[in-house]
Amino acid sequence: MDNQTFIQQKFAEFYEENASKIEAPSSISQREFGFMVFKENVMVRHKRFGTADALKTFIKESAPAHAYHSTAYYETPEAKMEDKGWLGADLYFDIDADHIATKCKEIHDSWTCKDCGFAGKGQPDVCPSCGSKRFDQRIWPCDECLDSAKKETIKLVEMLMEEFGFSSNEVAVSFSGHRGYHVHVTNEVIRELDAGARKEIVDYITGTGLNVSFFSSAVGAFRSSPETPVYALNDVGWRGRIVKGAYEFLSSATLKNLIDLGIKEKRANEIVLNKEAILNSWKREGPWRPVRGVGKEELRTIIDHVIGVQSVKIDTMVTTDIHRLIRLPNTLHGKTGWLKVSFPFSHIDIFDPFKSAVAFKKGTVNIYVEESPKFRIGDEWFGEYKKQKVELPTAAAIFVLCKDSASLVE
Amino acid sequence: MALTRSELAKYPFVFDAAEEVKRLDLDISNLENPNLKTIVDRAFNRIEEALATDPPRVSYRPGDEDKEIPSFPVAIILASATNNDYIKRRYALAEAVRAYDLLQFEDEKKIVEVVKVFNWKLRIHKQPVGYRRYDFALFFTDFLRNAEVFHEDEWKLVNRIMVNGEVFLNKREAARLIQEEVRKRIEKRFSIDVRQMLPESILQRVDDLSKKYADRISRARYIPFPKEVVNEAFPPCIQIFYGSAKTGTHISHLGRFTLTSFLLNINMKPEDIVNLFRASADFNERMTKYQVEHISGDRGSRTKYRSPTCETLKTHALCPGPDELCKTIRSPLRYYAKKTRMLKR
């Protein structure tokens, strides 16, 4: 049996028992559905279901590699794109380890140059052998990737609640089934926002277009008395975030940290020497005006760094695209065999994707692994493997098979 | 607190126009009626003021409510009848600017009253927020719906103070957002089929007005791009996408869309664009051709797509950083238009 037939068989077995748990979106008859089917590797789009039962039956019978629904609501979801009649869309955020620079990628991700066949680890810009920019990439998720995505998710949800004012029951969080998290805002007030308004929300979350000089200029006019600090560590929104971030950064910054940001050694030395005085002035006024040791240029460098740290790394296209398809919760991800699972935001600290998203819990499978890094399923570690036969629990075997790095041994 | 009649004359857009129209028997086909002459004259005058002033402004005439209130809905009908987008847009803007000017002198309570008709979540907020003082708090979706078209940094949400879904504003800023809402609402009220309902003499006056400002209207038209593609005039972002396409380097979906729509808009032939993507590792001629035709409007929705703006490219981290000319424009296409003209000289 070939890999794909086997995986699809397992997906079908899974849905036979678990299709009832699929979480259908609200207003189901106004949604478009799309499925990536195994064999042909094509996307079937523009499907409409009148009821959640019809949707579940369809997935049970077809066992697709991926199942999606539109974030949008349409008059006629089954019509061609231009005739659907857009009525509104939920607000979605996608946080994917692909958009976060993590060091672990050097360990578990690999590539092969499409032009010269040279191969290596990590995610290069150009092939070191021939200079080509065309690669085949093999990307794996790991604890570090998903922890970094989790941190971004926490930052995002806090922004959505504190600044945008959404309540915890209007913000649904889920693990995507691969390398990240989805955040779904259900409040009706955002449904009719167009792509332009959503772009502004994205810019807020990512700190794009943040004009620091605007924050720091003409502030005197708003001061109620000379004793009132203009900026303070407990200030709100991005202002507070920058002041706090700059303060925290400098509190723990070493000479090397400063030089790594691109600050000249002489100036960096001066900053380290004057650290206490600078921090004290920032406590009172915020990091907006040059003080001894930190000139305009250094200030800009530090603030840019802080914005980079404080901004949330989201996939900007997902949020601004008002016709987007997004994975259905409690369906399988064809690249991992894991589930997309929703969970309450209050549980995010203890949420373990490698445990909660495991779908296949019985039996073992014999496979021949071409190459795989070390990975974890539940409490058990596997690998790394290179050109070897192994008997793995079904979840682990399907994961490596879905990654296209192994073949079935009959 | 309801608005008085003299306040309605200041802000006629909040008014239930249907009621006023009924009161005066203001039937469209009846506009020739001599009793309505002063109203119709003022309606024409409103539009003429919009066309003759810069920035466009309709004047405020206190103490003349019986003419001022009904002349507003009539002017909307007359502007519609010109079938001229420039006149319609200009008139809507002029009425909106008038509201902006007047609102700045109103007290906060009055402003809250005026926006009731918009269903905005606006409230007076005088306590300091984060050590600064404001006049109002407005729910962020109401803010975005209007501020998203403004280009100044201070109007970007990221540069605002927002707490619990509310954006804080001073009075001037609130008035500016109301101006935009008024402008949009007036533009929505222009209907297409009024000409056949209007009496002949009124139509004649409408057409005379259009003719009077004809040269102004044609000047506002759009300057075409050169027939031949001028690669040297590409902005930095397009240069990168273009180079990547030629070498087969991966370009994001939005990058490809930006490049394709840009090249189509500057008159590159669709087949040349398809050829440009040939080096791409996953090149598929049929698929590429389909996509290019879709963007050109030869397929699907039949709309020719404009190239994304600089703002959009920045949001998606596709702006490589501006050069000097970039700082004077807001879209790659405007850059190209300016640069080609500079190169010509």
Side-chain angles (χ1 to χ4, degrees):
Chain A
M1 195 188 305
D2 65 89
N3 286 359
Q4 260 206 352
T5 313
F6 177 76
I7 297 169
Q8 184 171 21
Q9 223 172 59
K10 286 289 168 192
F11 274 34
E13 281 169 27
F14 175 84
Y15 284 128
E16 191 57 44
E17 263 181 56
N18 299 289
S20 60
K21 294 177 194 151
I22 293 168
E23 290 169 34
S26 63
S27 311
I28 185 166
S29 59
Q30 293 183 332
R31 307 281 192 164
E32 178 199 355
F33 290 83
F35 304 92
M36 189 67 112
V37 292
F38 273 104
K39 292 284 147 55
E40 297 87 351
N41 205 21
V42 290
M43 184 79 158
V44 181
R45 284 195 68 164
H46 316 300
K47 300 274 300 175
R48 176 184 172 276
F49 296 96
T51 64
D53 279 343
L55 167 71
K56 291 170 188 176
T57 306
F58 179 87
I59 293 177
K60 198 196 273 188
E61 284 166 3
S62 58
H66 302 275
Y68 306 98
H69 70 85
S70 62
T71 60
Y73 304 81
Y74 299 108
E75 267 165 27
T76 14
E78 67 275 29
K80 282 187 296 181
M81 220 55 225
E82 54 270 27
D83 300 327
K84 281 188 183 336
W86 189 86
L87 298 170
D90 295 334
L91 185 63
Y92 264 90
F93 299 92
D94 177 22
I95 291 165
D96 194 303
D98 286 349
H99 293 97
I100 310 165
T102 54
K103 291 207 178 80
C104 55
K105 293 192 178 97
E106 297 294 330
I107 299 166
H108 56 65
D109 288 356
S110 59
W111 55 273
T112 309
C113 175
K114 277 187 176 171
D115 288 315
C116 73
F118 196 83
K121 293 276 188 186
Q123 294 181 352
D125 292 328
V126 293
C127 171
S129 167
C130 74
S132 163
K133 293 178 178 175
R134 314 191 309 163
F135 308 105
D136 269 329
Q137 289 188 311
R138 287 171 302 281
I139 294 166
W140 297 75
C142 78
D143 277 306
E144 192 179 335
C145 291
L146 284 171
D147 277 346
S148 64
K150 193 190 261 189
K151 281 192 192 112
E152 297 299 313
T153 307
I154 293 169
K155 278 196 285 183
L156 170 65
V157 174
E158 282 173 355
M159 251 188 220
L160 289 174
M161 300 210 292
E162 283 161 26
E163 278 142 274
F164 287 87
F166 297 115
S167 66
S168 57
N169 55 13
E170 291 166 338
V171 179
V173 184
S174 50
F175 168 59
S176 73
H178 191 199
R179 300 235 294 177
Y181 291 89
H182 293 166
V183 173
H184 173 196
V185 177
T186 53
N187 191 318
E188 281 189 22
V189 297
I190 46 80
R191 277 203 194 162
E192 283 172 39
L193 290 182
D194 63 14
R198 287 167 205 252
K199 191 187 96 54
E200 282 298 303
I201 295 175
V202 165
D203 287 349
Y204 191 96
I205 305 274
T206 59
T208 303
L210 196 63
N211 187 335
V212 173
S213 63
F214 167 73
F215 276 179
S216 55
S217 67
V219 286
F222 294 97
R223 259 177 122 152
S224 49
S225 81
E227 292 76 43
T228 317
V230 177
Y231 295 96
L233 291 166
N234 61 353
D235 206 341
V236 289
W238 267 105
R239 289 178 212 216
R241 201 171 281 123
I242 292 173
V243 181
K244 263 175 280 192
Y247 192 88
E248 277 166 24
F249 168 75
L250 192 61
S251 302
S252 64
T254 61
L255 185 67
K256 187 178 177 302
N257 293 150
L258 293 166
I259 294 170
D260 284 351
L261 288 191
I263 295 174
K264 292 198 185 82
E265 195 172 343
K266 198 178 144 219
R267 303 288 293 187
N269 255 319
E270 234 176 296
I271 295 174
V272 173
L273 278 173
N274 286 311
K275 207 179 202 178
E276 283 312 307
I278 298 166
L279 285 172
N280 273 332
S281 91
W282 283 6
K283 222 186 234 167
R284 290 192 313 271
E285 296 278 335
W288 313 105
R289 290 190 180 81
V291 288
R292 221 159 74 89
V294 190
K296 221 176 173 183
E297 210 176 295
E298 291 75 31
L299 201 56
R300 185 75 235 185
T301 307
I302 291 172
I303 288 175
D304 281 347
H305 169 73
V306 168
I307 294 169
V309 172
Q310 300 288 328
S311 65
V312 186
K313 279 77 196 166
I314 55 172
D315 181 333
T316 54
M317 291 303 290
V318 171
T319 307
T320 50
D321 184 352
I322 54 172
H323 301 101
R324 195 83 181 181
L325 291 179
I326 202 114
R327 190 174 304 280
L328 267 165
N330 280 346
T331 62
L332 294 164
H333 194 304
K335 281 183 186 162
T336 55
W338 296 342
L339 286 166
K340 167 169 172 175
V341 276
S342 313
F343 57 90
F345 178 66
S346 55
H347 294 182
I348 193 161
D349 287 329
I350 51 162
F351 177 80
D352 179 358
F354 298 122
K355 218 174 244 178
S356 305
V358 175
F360 302 100
K361 293 176 179 162
K362 285 181 213 148
T364 59
V365 182
N366 287 309
I367 56 171
Y368 173 82
V369 184
E370 193 58 44
E371 192 180 6
S372 125
K374 199 173 161 188
F375 64 92
R376 179 171 71 86
I377 305 271
D379 293 320
E380 225 178 315
W381 284 91
F382 303 95
E384 57 190 88
Y385 303 116
K386 193 154 194 175
K387 297 193 189 301
Q388 67 193 94
K389 251 193 225 171
V390 276
E391 183 183 354
L392 293 181
T394 308
I398 287 192
F399 174 57
V400 186
L401 286 169
C402 282
K403 283 272 148 207
D404 214 8
S405 294
S407 49
L408 210 57
V409 178
E410 312 229 8
Chain B
M1 177 175 66
L3 295 173
T4 63
R5 211 166 147 73
S6 75
E7 282 158 356
L8 287 174
K10 279 176 164 177
Y11 311 112
F13 51 86
V14 306
F15 192 63
D16 183 358
E19 206 171 286
E20 183 77 10
V21 167
K22 232 184 279 160
R23 196 172 78 95
L24 295 165
D25 194 18
L26 252 174
D27 183 348
I28 284 195
S29 54
N30 195 27
L31 289 181
E32 274 177 316
N33 181 341
N35 294 337
L36 299 176
K37 187 166 185 309
T38 55
I39 293 171
V40 173
D41 284 351
R42 172 58 176 147
F44 272 110
N45 173 259
R46 287 182 104 106
I47 301 172
E48 202 150 359
E49 282 178 348
L51 293 167
T53 52
D54 193 24
R57 256 186 190 84
V58 171
S59 62
Y60 168 53
R61 300 178 181 181
D64 214 354
E65 290 89 39
D66 289 343
K67 207 158 71 191
E68 286 298 294
I69 299 174
S71 64
F72 172 71
V74 172
I76 290 179
I77 292 165
L78 299 178
S80 302
T82 64
N83 272 343
N84 182 304
D85 287 339
Y86 175 81
I87 294 179
K88 287 190 269 185
R89 278 203 306 267
R90 191 93 184 159
Y91 174 62
L93 178 62
E95 288 286 356
V97 171
R98 172 185 188 267
Y100 170 75
D101 290 343
L102 293 170
L103 282 165
Q104 292 186 72
F105 298 100
E106 299 290 1
D107 75 58
E108 285 81 10
K109 281 190 196 133
K110 200 65 81 186
I111 292 178
V112 169
E113 196 62 34
V114 168
V115 303
K116 270 195 179 149
V117 66
F118 306 149
N119 287 321
W120 279 12
K121 291 188 191 120
L122 178 78
R123 63 186 181 90
I124 299 169
H125 185 103
K126 291 286 194 181
Q127 301 85 5
V129 187
Y131 309 102
R132 279 156 295 265
R133 268 176 299 182
Y134 299 92
D135 300 311
F136 296 103
L138 175 65
F139 193 62
F140 81 94
T141 55
D142 295 326
F143 175 86
L144 285 182
R145 260 189 279 275
N146 294 293
E148 64 169 285
V149 299
F150 302 161
H151 300 288
E152 298 85 359
D153 277 355
E154 61 170 309
W155 288 107
K156 279 195 74 65
L157 189 63
V158 71
N159 290 322
R160 307 299 310 193
I161 291 297
M162 174 166 65
V163 179
N164 240 325
E166 286 180 316
V167 176
F168 298 94
L169 305 166
N170 62 34
K171 197 191 274 182
R172 183 193 60 81
E173 292 168 333
R176 182 70 184 85
L177 289 170
I178 295 168
Q179 175 191 321
E180 180 57 18
E181 179 82 45
V182 170
R183 191 191 63 77
K184 283 195 297 196
R185 279 172 183 260
I186 294 176
E187 288 206 350
K188 269 194 207 129
R189 283 172 68 173
F190 293 131
S191 47
I192 8 170
D193 287 333
V194 287
R195 281 186 73 90
Q196 59 227 36
M197 289 180 267
L198 284 173
E200 197 49 46
S201 67
I202 298 284
L203 267 184
Q204 190 55 53
R205 284 180 73 183
V206 166
D207 293 340
D208 288 346
L209 182 78
S210 296
K211 255 180 241 147
K212 190 169 164 193
Y213 290 93
D215 67 318
R216 177 94 77 90
I217 294 154
S218 63
R219 242 190 297 142
R221 287 241 175 85
Y222 160 87
I223 305 149
F225 294 117
K227 281 203 180 66
E228 297 293 321
V229 173
V230 186
N231 289 34
E232 303 76 53
F234 288 175
C237 50
I238 298 295
Q239 273 177 29
I240 290 175
F241 301 144
Y242 190 80
S244 298
K246 278 187 115 172
T247 55
T249 308
H250 174 78
I251 316 174
S252 70
H253 180 74
L254 183 65
R256 271 197 310 257
F257 173 77
T258 305
L259 178 61
T260 306
S261 54
F262 176 88
L263 293 174
L264 283 167
N265 272 288
I266 64 162
N267 306 321
M268 189 184 261
K269 289 195 205 77
E271 53 270 32
D272 292 343
I273 299 173
V274 173
N275 281 331
L276 178 65
F277 288 107
R278 220 165 263 282
S280 159
D282 48 2
F283 179 75
N284 172 330
E285 177 142 9
R286 197 180 54 87
M287 206 50 186
T288 308
K289 205 164 163 243
Y290 175 85
Q291 282 163 349
V292 171
E293 284 171 4
H294 197 94
I295 297 169
S296 73
D298 287 342
R299 261 176 201 277
S301 59
R302 306 265 150 195
T303 39
K304 181 171 180 175
Y305 287 89
R306 300 268 313 160
S307 188
T309 61
C310 298
E311 275 254 305
T312 301
L313 296 176
K314 279 180 191 151
T315 293
H316 302 295
L318 289 173
C319 167
D323 69 9
E324 280 309 309
L325 185 55
C326 288
K327 290 173 189 159
T328 68
I329 49 89
R330 286 200 294 264
S331 85
L333 284 172
R334 295 304 305 157
Y335 183 109
Y336 184 79
K338 261 195 164 171
K339 191 77 181 266
T340 47
R341 258 175 283 147
M342 280 161 63
L343 291 172
K344 228 176 174 180
R345 267 185 250 134

